[in-house]
Amino acid sequence: MRVFGRAEHTDVRGGRGRDAGQGAVEYLGVVAVAGAVVLALAGTALGTRIDDEIMCQVQRVTGTGGCGPGDTEAAPGPDDGLPPGGDPFQPAKCLLSSEETKDTVVVQVLFLKISSTEQVKVQQWSDGSVTLERVATSGAGVTASVEAGIPGLEKWGGGASLGGSYVKSSGSGGRWLFHGHKSGDRQKDLAENLADAKQFAEYLKAANKCRSRPPGARSAELGMICGKVAEDKKPDVDPEKAPDIDITKTTTEIAGEVSFGGKYAKDDKAVKSLKDDIAAEIRKNNPKASPKEVEEKIKKAQDTVIGSTPDTKDMGNGSIQGLSGTMSKDVVVMRAKTGPDAGKITFVYTFEMGGKFGAGAQAGGTHMQQIAVTYDAAAYDRESEEGLEHRPEKLKITTSQESSGGPGVNVGAGVNTGPVTIEVGGGGGKTETRLHTEIAEITLGSDEDRKTVEDWIRGRGDNPAEQGIPSPHALAGPLPADAGPIDRLLHDKAQITSLDYDVDTDWWNASLGIGFGLSAGSLTVGFKLFGIDVTHEERTQTITGNPAYAGAPSGDGSRPWKPFTNCSDTEPIIG
């Protein structure tokens, strides 16, 4: 339940003290699982400041250290004084709620991986506006995996796997803005704009169905009738902006998994019959030998004739996922052709680490760091051709951590036919998540600020981006003497916010794979001949707690946290 306008203790990250402490412990457990699975299997290190962030959280929770100055400071409540009107450090709006549907299909043929995703999102904003996004992407790349059994648990199906992939995707999307209702009452406007957005979403579904009609007799006539029905679904107020965006995405991912289950087999009648015949012949020809001597002779004869062939055939396995972890890096390039950002190009760099554990009641979590840099597209292209330095116009840094728990299951089963394995899997469930998000955003108004950001992005000068992404939370505190130019720029001029959300996710997954593997001891090197994986996810995200923003720098170098009233004065519409 959201709590606004109460003198309730809040930590510096904007969440309520009790919930924030619990979330940190849950998050640490998940990070430990993800790190143990992925890093132990991959034998790699993160190589960014995220290592320090995790250790900082560990020290803070266990009481063996801290995370720097101001970590236990409470954000001011409503009675501590509101910022004056027009405070440039308070953003004009925030995201109140988001409803998202995402469908993903991944097909693998040998080492080739093909993916397609369709994502629809409706977002409510605190200024009374609503946005509707629809993005479809498809991509192709390469993938490979290695599997190993867990010593002592092979016969119980205990195993671990490590996989890596590289995928490059492209797509297109639209983003429609609904803010035609402007009565001065933002709550009322939000309700009316949301109704228009949902009605427009129905129109888009109907129009897409019309375009997907197969050719045939009277197809054109039926298409016109279908189009007329779709047009009737449009709201009275058209969306103001409908940008066309070219999207290119590259993904590098490494994943680890530990699963447990059981193997099933059947008797090999031919081998068993041959062993029985050998034993009978030995007993017949050695009537005076002792039972021990007879057994030794039988074993020796069987080993000589048959070797180590087992009495049973391995027919397959059943498994349930115990632990899994992933690390991924995404680079997304968005070039807007129309709409409010027409003529702009934005590069979004995302690093994410996540993990899940448990079967009947899965828990999981993620830690995400993201940089988004926007340029004038024409100027960027010209500068690239002429070898000139680029001039960014906007920088946005987002970090988030998420811990979850709820009923869910991920199971699988396989059938072996020699070196070829046929596997099926699936799962589903509902999870309840607490998402903590921090954002630092700045519009670059001077050549000096643009150069500072560009040097940081390109790895020039002090503290380049490759050495770590600044934490928005840390930027609100006094900076150390050796702080780099990008930290000082964001500390002095950026709008910094701290927001918490409750997230409900309903998901299901189904997969089929045909693989080929070669074994050496407990290690199996294999690849898929063919595989298909389908995932459907519905996610609802709603703001909670006390939204906060960092005010202007004070005399001691800190930026005091203040109530984010432009965010909290409007309630999200649920249902």
Side-chain angles (χ1 to χ4, degrees), residues 44-241:
T44 184
L46 297 181
T48 69
R49 193 181 295 175
I50 191 172
D51 293 309
D52 299 329
E53 296 289 340
I54 294 172
M55 289 307 300
C56 163
Q57 295 292 337
V58 171
Q59 293 172 355
R60 179 169 154 237
V61 172
T62 59
T64 58
C67 300
D71 192 65
T72 58
E73 177 188 353
D79 296 332
D80 294 328
L82 295 175
D87 185 349
F89 288 99
Q90 178 173 192
K93 64 179 180 179
C94 75
L95 176 65
L96 294 178
S97 177
S98 175
E99 298 179 28
E100 178 180 350
T101 301
K102 184 177 180 180
D103 291 287
T104 303
V105 178
V106 179
V107 176
Q108 183 177 336
V109 180
L110 294 178
F111 297 104
L112 177 64
K113 187 175 183 179
I114 303 169
S115 67
S116 65
T117 300
E118 182 169 349
Q119 190 172 358
V120 178
K121 184 186 300 183
V122 178
Q123 296 177 309
Q124 302 176 35
W125 299 88
S126 61
D127 65 350
S129 64
V130 177
T131 55
L132 169 64
E133 296 181 7
R134 183 177 182 273
V135 178
T137 60
S138 60
V142 294
T143 183
S145 64
V146 177
E147 299 178 356
I150 299 176
L153 295 178
E154 290 90 343
K155 69 177 181 179
W156 303 106
S161 66
L162 175 66
S165 63
Y166 175 84
V167 177
K168 185 172 183 178
S169 306
S170 63
S172 60
R175 186 174 189 266
W176 294 266
L177 173 64
F178 296 83
H179 68 162
H181 299 280
K182 298 179 180 179
S183 65
D185 182 342
R186 292 193 298 180
Q187 195 68 53
K188 178 182 177 182
D189 294 342
L190 179 63
E192 294 178 346
N193 288 325
L194 180 60
D196 287 344
K198 289 187 173 182
Q199 188 175 341
F200 191 78
E202 292 301 316
Y203 156 72
L204 289 178
K205 291 179 183 177
N208 186 61
K209 185 177 180 180
C210 295
R211 289 191 294 268
S212 302
R213 290 186 58 83
R218 301 182 61 200
S219 178
E221 180 181 350
L222 292 174
M224 291 178 61
I225 297 174
C226 181
K228 178 63 171 61
V229 173
E231 285 289 333
D232 290 342
K233 295 180 180 292
K234 269 190 174 183
D236 295 333
V237 180
D238 285 338
E240 180 174 322
K241 301 159 185 173

Side-chain angles (χ1 to χ4, degrees), residues 330-334 346-351 368-375 392 394-399 440 453 456-458 463-470 486 490:
D330 285 346
V331 180
V332 177
V333 182
M334 298 184 294
T346 300
F347 296 81
V348 183
Y349 309 89
T350 304
F351 175 87
M368 186 274 292
Q369 295 178 309
Q370 184 180 88
I371 304 172
V373 192
T374 301
Y375 303 85
K394 182 183 291 186
L395 172 67
K396 182 177 181 179
I397 293 175
T398 304
T399 66
V453 171
W456 178 66
I457 292 292
R458 306 298 169 185
N463 297 323
E466 62 188 15
Q467 293 183 7
I469 302 173
I486 190 68
L490 296 174

Side-chain angles (χ1 to χ4, degrees), residues 444-464:
L444 305 170
S446 70
D447 289 341
E448 181 181 359
D449 292 347
R450 296 188 183 102
K451 180 172 176 53
T452 295
V453 171
E454 186 65 14
D455 286 348
W456 178 66
I457 292 292
R458 306 298 169 185
R460 300 187 293 258
D462 298 332
N463 297 323

Side-chain angles (χ1 to χ4, degrees), residues 415-426:
V415 177
N416 299 336
T417 56
V420 177
T421 301
I422 300 175
E423 296 183 340
V424 294

